[in-house]
Structure formats: structure tokens, C-alpha cells
């Protein structure tokens, strides 16, 4: 495995405790070791410079004794205020009253480091990160530690969600030198921004043989003063090695690998890691991994008659069902938590992220298209209900996240993970005390609810899932029985059980909103808003839900009005809801462009308003200009002209979010069919060629890109509907198309006007016509079109017959 690359998802927490992943190698010892690595006579060689301790993660902290700063400040009187008070990032604002002389990432800090010849301490996190809160409370609020930091370092605080380019560079360093990574990330840099030591979370003081943050700082100060040349030399060697190890480019004259072979290998790798009892991949912690599920359903779509195709579909559907029944799914207020700490999807890390909601909504609506089961459509709708209610800004944008931690309803100074979401048995009994009419033994609504959702008098969280003791006596709701079994248990009808459970959930939702809420990150990121735009557009189109489509259009308008600078023709990375602060806007990165373009293409296929298609074309041209690598193919993650970004990376992993290059490969292919621009088809092929080695060896790392490779191989089906958008005959044909899962297609609507956007780009559309004055579908592939059809059922049969087995 190349340096800095993990086989799985980078975890958002220190690898200790129940929000954890212990790296498979590189676990810290008791010395501070500055590693170096590079190409040598025998291949990849590694060495190290030993200091008195090693900067890496250590043990979990004790339970909090004062309120974590994940939420809004409760008092307006502060002993300290630093320059972060002028920032707009919620994460930076959480540190605005630390006794630390924080700087935001920028030239002011860089120049000060050079002028004073001091090392830089870079601290990276995000506003809903549990362990970021812990380190802020334990170390950055500590007066002594704050003075050590301010006197000896130039301290920079960075929101990884605002500056993913900076985060990726230094996370690559931390992963390469330690074998793992996570947030908060702590990295020490030279004044020239070159890293020499890195780690993640540190406790404030020594714990037994484990060094604390204060000790780490003092040793680094000592080494900077007495051994600086070795530190700088080590950092330079590591950077050279990382530049070589992370380089991705196409071989001259190369071509993408064969899609069926790559797809089969990706399936086999996923099947090997699949956990059969509860679904998902590997044991614990267990992540939703929508990119894996979408690949499996796409793989099935072209392998329907094979045992492998059937197995792939079963893996995806079982995983989606078990997640929806599990505690990772919020049964009271909808939406999904970040991940499960156990293999059964029961006890989650309670943080809710926008990008998870977006991708899971698409996965569930896809499962509905595949299976026809209303269960999956209901889950998709409920996710969007949660987002509309709790993560939506009046401007039309979407907020980033809700925190895991909040103050318990019983009060007190301490925030606890999951306090907003969990229940005691006594709370449930008191709230749901009505007798269920006709039930066996005069059971109450609480009896039925507790049976169905696994609520126990002593709580249902195992001690090993709660090392901090925050969930003692509490219950995380998880569906333990089918509605049919619950009905049989209490001698009532299935309809009665459904009514009682829905009523109970509504009562509990009303009660829950009276509790202190978790911190809400009101930052609105262009990339994640692009993902959510896709979700509303695709779910709305499949269900024919005009309210969801209207919300999608609001999101599109928000992106254009608030995150698009028409003067500079540039996407902006983010804006914040509520009060605006003084920090300048940050230009968008590759994922901002790629995810928005994908969202706009989905929005066009849902509404057939060509303004969205036109803007997607415009944005793709800008993306090409800003990020395309003319020499090696593919897109850089950030502007290659930015001299403060020491590594020009091309993201080569589909993790919590799909890689922007993976999404771009599909965008380019789709746009080439919408516009007739063959250069975009060639770019898509060049991009896939650049990632050939990764695709051939470890396609499990890039399941979304494998889908793009499959689309290239099987070619996109062009479905052209000739008709008027609001006519019922047109709606019937569109409903037939949207009822099916067709991963490799583009959908167009034309009224035959030669002046229209599409006809201008694709003159052949002018020759397509309506039969007998009614809406007509033309299905084309590989430059060959079927006979036009007007009957929705006939169109459905035609599209199903065209499903290809490899």
C-alpha cells in the first residue's frame, strides 16, 4: 500500500474508546519518533529520528467535567478573545475564547512564523467532532498550555470542511508517518509549512507512560532549539517521498482497464469483507458506505442473471434494511447517525452529517426502484423530511451537521453523547401510558413500543459500547421484531400496531424537541449542498413528488445566488447561516464543482428546465480550466497554482464521500451525451486511464469510479421523450422511466424546437417527433435507436429488455 493510503475510511476520531478505530499498524510507542521514508536501493525505505516520545493517539479521556464547547457559548462574558472571533466557521468560533493566540490559515500567520522564526502548530478539526471538543476543553482552554503554545509556536486553527485541500495534505503526512489518522489532527510545521511531526488527539497531561500534550509541546520546543536541522531534513525527505508516492497519472498511450474485470474484482473484494448477519462491511465500527451499496446495485443491473449479480443485490438490500431497522437510524426524528460502534447497527456515534443523508437518500430510493418495496421509499422520504426540517436554511441551502453531544434533559454542566436521542424506560412508560384497546392483557402503548424497539428497564446499551458511562440506563431504539410479530404478541392487527407505533413516535418527537439541542453547524458547503441537490432531485423524480422537486429547485437557486461568483466565474466553498463574519470567501475546490455539476444534471433530469443543464456545462468548463492535469490526466483536488499547498493530490478513494474524480468521470460522460462535446468523452477516458493501476489492483477503494468505468463500457442509453412537460402523456412516459433503476442512461425532454438548448447542441433531436400528436419515447444506444413508443408499459418493457448482462 502506498504511503498515506488507508484501505478503509479515515475515521473522524482518535482510535480509542467507542468512537474508535485502532490502526492495524503503527500504533504509538513511548518515544517521539520523526519518521522519514523514500526511495532507496532496495525500494521503499523507512527510517526515524527518535525523540523522547512519539506523537500519536493515546488513551481516551475521562468523562467531561465541564461543558464541551460543541454548542453555542452560554455566556457572553469571556476572559479571553482571540482573532478567531472574526471568523465565520462555526469550528473556528468555538475556539475564539481560548487562551491561545490562534490564527486562521493565511498569510498573516505564515509571515509571522517566518519573521519570528517559530514553528507552526496546526490544529485541524470540524465543529461536530467529539474529540475535537474534548481536546479544546482539556488543552486549549488550559491557561498553562495556552501560554506554552502562544509563546513558542504560531498557532493556526483550521476547519477541515472549509479547507479540505490543506487537511488532505497534512492528513496524508500523518497517515504515512503513523499508519492512521483522524481528527482532531495536530501537526507541527516549519515556517515554510513543511510538516515534521504529526498526531491526532493528546490528553492534556501524562497518563501513566502515555505522554500528555504539555509534555509533547515541551519536547518539540527542545528539539526545535537543539536539533532543528534534523527535524527540517526529516520533513523534507518525507515530502519528497509523499510527492512520489501520491502521484497519479496516465501512462502515454494507455487506456482504462477492462470494466467487467474491474467490476468483478470490486464485487469479490466487497463480498470478502461483507458481514452476512447484519449487512455492511467488516465488523465494528461499521459505516453506511453508500458508495459500496450503489456499486453493488449497479453491478446487479448488468449481471442480473448471474449468481454474482444476485448476491450483490442481496448484499445491498440486506444492508440497507438492517441499517433502517437499527439504532443508526433515528426512529423518532428521522435521518441517520454517522456510524455504528457495533456490528448490529445498534449503538451509533450520534453525529448527523449532511453528506450521509444525501447519499443514503439516493441509495434507498434506488433500492425502491430495484425492488418496488415501499419500505425503502419511506426511508428515503424520511431522510429528506429530517433534512428539510432540521438542516435547511431559509435561503434554500443546507447546513452541514448536527453534533453528537448535548446537555441531558435532566440538566447539569456536562454534555453527553447521544443525550438528545436516547430514552429511559421510565420516560417511555410515562409518555405512552394509554392502554392499547383490544390488546392482550391490557397492554399499554408503552408495552407495545418497548417490545418492538427493544427498550429495557435497565437500558439496552452494553457496557462495552459505552466505555465513558454516558449511556447507562439509557435505550437506543432498534427494531427488534417485525410489525407482524409484534401484532401477534399483543393480539392486535398489523394496522393497529402501525398506528400505535406512529402515534408513539410522534409523542416522543414532541417531547424530544423540549430537550437541549445539540450544536448545529450552520456552515453551508457547496459540495455537500450539491450532494443534497441530487438527493432531492432523484427522490422527487422517482416518487413524482412535486414538493421535493420544488425543494431541489430552491437548492439549485441557492447555489447560484449565494455560492457562485458570476464576476470571477468561481464557485465559493461555503457560506454560513445567520450572522455573517469578516473572513473573506474561500474559492471552491474540485469536489464543489463536481458535486454541484452532478446535482444539476440530476435536477435537469427531474425538472427538464434547461437552465440547470446550461449551468452544468458552464461549470464543467470552469472545472477543466482550474483543476485538469494536462500532463497526467485527471483533476487535482485544489488549484495547482496555490503555493501554500505542498502536495498536489488527486483523491483516489471513495470514502465517506465519493472522490471528486470518480464523480467527474461520470459527469463528463453524461455531459458529452447532452452536449455532443466529444472532448469531454475523451477527458473521461483519460481520467479513468490515470487511475488504471488503482482500479485494477484495489477497485474496492474506488467503487464510484468503477461505476463510471462500467458506464463507459456499456455506453449510456439515451432516452429522449418528445412532448410537452406538463402533459399527462409525457408524465406517463417519464414515470415509466423513473420507476426503473437504469444506472447508465441520460434522459432528455424535447418539444422539437430547433432553437432549444438541446437541439442546438444535438441537432439530431430535431428529427425526433411525436407519433400521432402524443408524447413519444425514443431509446437510443451506440448510435442505434429503437422504434418510437408511446405507451408507458411498452417503454418499460423496452428498457427492461435492454438491461445488459456482461
Amino acid at each position: 500500500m502506498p504511503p498515506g493510503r488507508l484501505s478503509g475510511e479515515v475515521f473522524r476520531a482518535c482510535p480509542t474508546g467507542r468512537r474508535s478505530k485502532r490502526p492495524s499498524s503503527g500504533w504509538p510507542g513511548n518515544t517521539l519518533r520523526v519518521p522519514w521514508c523514500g526511495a532507496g536501493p532496495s525500494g521503499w525505505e523507512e527510517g526515524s529520528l527518535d525523540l523522547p516520545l512519539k506523537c500519536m493517539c493515546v488513551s481516551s479521556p475521562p468523562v467531561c467535567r465541564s461543558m464541551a464547547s460543541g454548542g453555542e457559548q452560554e455566556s457572553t462574558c469571556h476572559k479571553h478573545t482571540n482573532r478567531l472571533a472574526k471568523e465565520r466557521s462555526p469550528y473556528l468560533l468555538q475556539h475564539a475564547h481560548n487562551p491561545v493566540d490562534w490564527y486562521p490559515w493565511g498569510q498573516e500567520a505564515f509571515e509571522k512564523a517566518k519573521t519570528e522564526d517559530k514553528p507552526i502548530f496546526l490544529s485541524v478539526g470540524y465543529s461536530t467532532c467529539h474529540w475535537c471538543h474534548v481536546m479544546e476543553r482539556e488543552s486549549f482552554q488550559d491557561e498553562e498550555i495556552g501560554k506554552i503554545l502562544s509563546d513558542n509556536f504560531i498557532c493556526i486553527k483550521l476547519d477541515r470542511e472549509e479547507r479540505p485541500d490543506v487537511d488532505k495534505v497534512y492528513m496524508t503526512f500523518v497517515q504515512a508517518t503513523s499508519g492512521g489518522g483522524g481528527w482532531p489532527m495536530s501537526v507541527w510545521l516549519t515556517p515554510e509549512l513543511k510538516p515534521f511531526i504529526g498526531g491526532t488527539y493528546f490528553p492534556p497531561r501524562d497518563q501513566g507512560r502515555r505522554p500528555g500534550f504539555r509534555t509533547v509541546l515541551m519536547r518539540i520546543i527542545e528539539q526545535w532549539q537543539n536539533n532543528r536541522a534534523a527535524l527540517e531534513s526529516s520533513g523534507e525527505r518525507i515530502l519528497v517521498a509523499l510527492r512520489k508516492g501520491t502521484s497519479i497519472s496516465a501512462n502515454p498511450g494507455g487506456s482504462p482497464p477492462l470494466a467487467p474485470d474491474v467490476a468483478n474484482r470490486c464485487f469479490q473484494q466487497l463480498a470478502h469483507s461483507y458481514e452476512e448477519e447484519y449487512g455492511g462491511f467488516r465488523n465494528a465500527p461499521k459505516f453506511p458506505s453508500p458508495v459500496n451499496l450503489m456499486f453493488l446495485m449497479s453491478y446487479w443491473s448488468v449481471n442480473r442473471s448471474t449468481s454474482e449479480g444476485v448476491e450483490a443485490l442481496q448484499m445491498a438490500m440486506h444492508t440497507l434494511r438492517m441499517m433502517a431497522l437499527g439504532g443508526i437510524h433515528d426512529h423518532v426524528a428521522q435521518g441517520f447517525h454517522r456510524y455504528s460502534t457495533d456490528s448490529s447497527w445498534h449503538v451509533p456515534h450520534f453525529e448527523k452529517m449532511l453528506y450521509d443523508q444525501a447519499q443514503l437518500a439516493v441509495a434507498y430510493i434506488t433500492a425502491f426502484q430495484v425492488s418496488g418495496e415501499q419500505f425503502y421509499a419511506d426511508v428515503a422520504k424520511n431522510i429528506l423530511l429530517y433534512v428539510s426540517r432540521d438542516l435547511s436554511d431559509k435561503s434554500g441551502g443546507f447546513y452541514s451537521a448536527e453534533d453528537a453531544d448535548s446537555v441531558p434533559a435532566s440538566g447539569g454542566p456536562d454534555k453527553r453523547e447521544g443525550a438528545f436521542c436516547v430514552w429511559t424506560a421510565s420516560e417511555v412508560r410515562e409518555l405512552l401510558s394509554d392502554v392499547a384497546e383490544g390488546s392482550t392483557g391490557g397492554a399499554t402503548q408503552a408495552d407495545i413500543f418497548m417490545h418492538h424497539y427493544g427498550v429495557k428497564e435497565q437500558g439496552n446499551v452494553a457496557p462495552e459500547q459505552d466505555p465513558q458511562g454516558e449511556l447507562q440506563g439509557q435505550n437506543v431504539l432498534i427494531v427488534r421484531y417485525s410489525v407482524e410479530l409484534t401484532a401477534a404478541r399483543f393480539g392486535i392487527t398489523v394496522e393497529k400496531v402501525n398506528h400505535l407505533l406512529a402515534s408513539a413516535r410522534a409523542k416522543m418527537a414532541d417531547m424530544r424537541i423540549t430537550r437541549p439541542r445539540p450544536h448545529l453547524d450552520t456552515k453551508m458547503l457547496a459540495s455537500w449542498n450539491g450532494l443534497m441537490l441530487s438527493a432531492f432531485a432523484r427522490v422527487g423524480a422517482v416518487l413524482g413528488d412535486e414538493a421535493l422537486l420544488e425543494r431541489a429547485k430552491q437548492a439549485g437557486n441557492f447555489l447560484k445566488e449565494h455560492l457562485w461568483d458570476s464576476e470571477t466565474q468561481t464557485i465559493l466553498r461555503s457560506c454560513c447561516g445567520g450572522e455573517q463574519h469578516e473572513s473573506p470567501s474561500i474559492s471552491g475546490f474540485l469536489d464543489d464543482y463536481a458535486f454541484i455539476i452532478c446535482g444539476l444534471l440530476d435536477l435537469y433530469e427531474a425538472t427538464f428546465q434547461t437552465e440547470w443543464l446550461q449551468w452544468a456545462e458552464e461549470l464543467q468548463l470552469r472545472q477543466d480550466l482550474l483543476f485538469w492535469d494536462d500532463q497526467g490526466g485527471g483533476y487535482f483536488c485544489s488549484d495547482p497554482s496555490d503555493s501554500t499547498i505542498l502536495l498536489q493530490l488527486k483523491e483516489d478513494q471513495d470514502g465517506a464521500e465519493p472522490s471528486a474524480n470518480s464523480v467527474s468521470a461520470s459527469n463528463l460522460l453524461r455531459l458529452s451525451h447532452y452536449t455532443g462535446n466529444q472532448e469531454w468523452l475523451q477527458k473521461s477516458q483519460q481520467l479513468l486511464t490515470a487511475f488504471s493501476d488503482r482500479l485494477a489492483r484495489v477497485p474496492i477503494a474506488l467503487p464510484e469510479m468503477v461505476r463510471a468505468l462500467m458506464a463507459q463500457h456499456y455506453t449510456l442509453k439515451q432516452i429522449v421523450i418528445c412532448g410537452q412537460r406538463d402533459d399527462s402523456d409525457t408524465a406517463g412516459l417519464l414515470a415509466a422511466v423513473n420507476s426503473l433503476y437504469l444506472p447508465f442512461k441520460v434522459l432528455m425532454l424535447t418539444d422539437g424546437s430547433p432553437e432549444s438548448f438541446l437541439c442546438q447542441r444535438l441537432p439530431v433531436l430535431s428529427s425526433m417527433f411525436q407519433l400521432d400528436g402524443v408524447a413519444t419515447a425514443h431509446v437510443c444506444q451506440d448510435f442505434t435507436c429503437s422504434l418510437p413508443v408511446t405507451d408507458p408499459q411498452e417503454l418499460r418493457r423496452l428498457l427492461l429488455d435492454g438491461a445488459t448482462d456482461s
Side-chain angles (χ1 to χ4, degrees), residues 51 159 271 323 401 430 444 635 756 798:
L51 304 181
D159 184 335
M323 285 196 304
E430 182 178 352
T444 64
Y635 295 96
S756 69
L798 175 64

Side-chain angles (χ1 to χ4, degrees), residues 398-413:
F398 301 106
Y399 301 140
S400 293
E402 279 195 302
D403 208 338
D405 302 353
S406 60
V407 177
S410 57

Side-chain angles (χ1 to χ4, degrees), residues 761-779:
R761 298 295 190 277
L762 302 169
V764 69
L765 295 182
S766 298
S767 65
M768 295 183 178
F769 52 87
Q770 294 182 340
L771 289 177
D772 302 322
V774 298
T776 303
H778 301 258
V779 180

Side-chain angles (χ1 to χ4, degrees), residues 396-429:
F398 301 106
Y399 301 140
S400 293
E402 279 195 302
D403 208 338
D405 302 353
S406 60
V407 177
S410 57
D414 297 347
K415 286 191 175 185
R416 294 190 178 185
E417 170 146 17
F420 188 65
C421 301
V422 295
W423 303 86
T424 63
S426 60
E427 285 177 317
V428 176
R429 290 199 179 281

Side-chain angles (χ1 to χ4, degrees), residues 55-87:
C55 288
M56 267 303 295
C57 285
V58 291
S59 64
S60 298
V63 175
C64 310
R65 297 303 176 195
S66 62
M67 183 174 179
S69 58
E72 291 72 19
Q73 296 287 344
E74 291 190 347
S75 170
T76 56
C77 299
H78 304 285
K79 183 177 180 181
H80 303 279
T81 298
N82 56 54
R83 58 181 60 77
L84 297 186
K86 296 182 179 180
E87 297 300 306

Side-chain angles (χ1 to χ4, degrees), residues 648-703:
Q648 292 304 325
L649 299 173
K650 297 174 187 174
E651 184 67 51
D652 64 350
Q653 181 165 331
D654 296 321
E657 305 163 52
S659 155
N661 269 291
S662 298
V663 175
S664 293
S666 293
N667 289 347
L668 290 164
L669 186 59
R670 294 171 75 183
L671 279 166
S672 72
H673 282 262
Y674 279 121
T675 65
N677 186 341
Q678 292 303 299
E679 182 183 341
W680 278 335
L681 175 60
Q682 294 163 10
K683 267 188 163 60
S684 183
Q685 293 169 340
Q686 291 167 9
L687 187 160
L688 293 168
T689 302
F691 287 84
S692 287
D693 180 63
R694 186 82 159 154
L695 286 168
R697 288 190 304 108
V698 280
I700 192 175
L702 286 166

